[in-house]
Amino acid sequence: MKKIKLAVLASGGGTNLQAIIDKIESGKLSAEIRVVISNNSKAFALERARKHNIKDVHLSHKMFETKDKFDEKLLEILKENKIDLVVLAGYMKILSPKVIRAYKNRMINIHPALLPHFGGTGMYGIHVHEAVIKSGVKVTGVTVHLVDEIYDHGAIIIQKCVPVEDSDTPESLAERVLKVEHQLYSEAIGLFAEEKIEVKGNRVYIKK
Ligand code: GRF
């Protein structure tokens, strides 16, 4: 099977990146990470890439005079690596409409809750799990979705539930949700690799 070419964009620790690398290396995901890009030079995600001989690039808005120049450079890197799918894995910067449009239906994000709930501005990291516990819901989960121009809004590809236990703290919940993320992101990438994703309006259909 053909290997889907990925660019992974990450700002932090990169445990999702690691899970994808592990799936590829175990032969369970037909993909190749061509480049890992981070806005944060100290992101451990870059270190993980280097350890696995994956090209790592530090690319920050601060390096460019204008946002446009940043976009051009990012698009150039994606193009020269012939990227099929852009994978946002804890990338903390909002990409411009120009970049998002260039990868329409070919850019995905993972969110540690069941969108459209507990998403949007301020809903990242531990804040998501704090809000989930505070709301009293009994079920949370993981969402993998297409990226469109509205934050946490694009069409949903797959979701998986995680029960909220009475004894949960935001931290304990975050830990269980993250474990599910590590499974689900590779599953979603696999669907793209197998060309099973069909997008109609704001719905994603998974071909059998
Ligand atoms: C994950 O919880 C993901 O859902 C969110 O950012 C976090 C990244 O974690 N978008 P890691 O850097 O992959 O460990």
Side-chain angles (χ1 to χ4, degrees):
M1 202 203 301
K2 124 175 190 293
K3 284 187 182 169
I4 189 168
K5 297 184 191 71
L6 311 176
V8 179
L9 273 60
S11 302
T15 64
N16 275 287
L17 165 68
Q18 188 66 53
I20 298 165
I21 293 174
D22 294 346
K23 269 276 160 29
I24 294 172
E25 289 188 351
S26 70
K28 289 183 190 139
L29 178 61
S30 183
E32 180 193 350
I33 303 177
R34 298 290 298 246
V35 62
V36 172
I37 302 171
S38 184
N39 58 303
N40 170 10
S41 64
K42 294 189 174 69
F44 192 59
L46 291 177
E47 183 67 38
R48 292 181 195 270
R50 287 193 288 272
K51 268 192 199 150
H52 291 267
N53 294 318
I54 299 167
K55 195 187 305 166
D56 68 296
V57 176
H58 169 224
L59 194 71
S60 158
H61 287 85
K62 292 178 199 151
M63 299 162 144
F64 299 88
E65 278 165 31
T66 63
K67 279 188 176 164
D68 240 25
K69 293 220 162 98
F70 168 87
D71 289 349
E72 274 168 28
K73 185 68 190 169
L74 178 56
L75 287 171
E76 186 188 306
I77 296 170
L78 298 176
K79 215 172 163 188
E80 75 190 13
N81 284 286
K82 300 189 170 58
I83 298 305
D84 299 311
L85 184 68
V86 178
V87 176
L88 306 185
Y91 188 66
M92 299 300 284
K93 291 279 170 192
I94 294 185
L95 292 166
S96 73
K98 187 178 173 184
V99 174
I100 292 170
R101 276 188 220 126
Y103 284 83
K104 188 175 190 293
N105 297 342
R106 295 193 300 142
M107 183 184 289
I108 60 177
N109 184 45
I110 189 159
H111 185 76
L114 295 175
L115 291 174
H117 304 289
F118 306 107
T121 316
M123 282 294 147
Y124 62 89
I126 203 71
H127 304 301
V128 177
H129 309 292
E130 280 165 359
V132 163
I133 288 182
K134 202 169 162 204
S135 77
V137 293
K138 301 293 185 193
V139 176
T140 184
V142 176
T143 303
V144 179
H145 65 94
L146 290 169
V147 174
D148 70 7
E149 288 159 46
I150 306 167
Y151 192 66
D152 283 342
H153 170 272
I156 292 168
I157 301 164
I158 35 177
Q159 293 185 300
K160 197 158 183 181
C161 295
V162 175
V164 180
E165 308 291 351
D166 291 348
S167 59
D168 265 328
T169 60
E171 290 75 18
S172 67
L173 188 57
E175 203 178 308
R176 285 207 317 287
V177 169
L178 191 62
K179 279 194 187 135
V180 175
E181 290 186 41
H182 294 162
Q183 298 299 323
L184 207 68
Y185 222 2
S186 293
E187 206 181 297
I189 294 166
L191 294 173
F192 280 91
E194 292 169 26
E195 296 180 351
K196 284 190 173 166
I197 298 286
E198 198 178 340
V199 187
K200 284 187 199 160
N202 204 40
R203 285 191 78 180
V204 170
Y205 297 87
I206 297 171
K207 294 183 212 155
K208 296 287 172 209

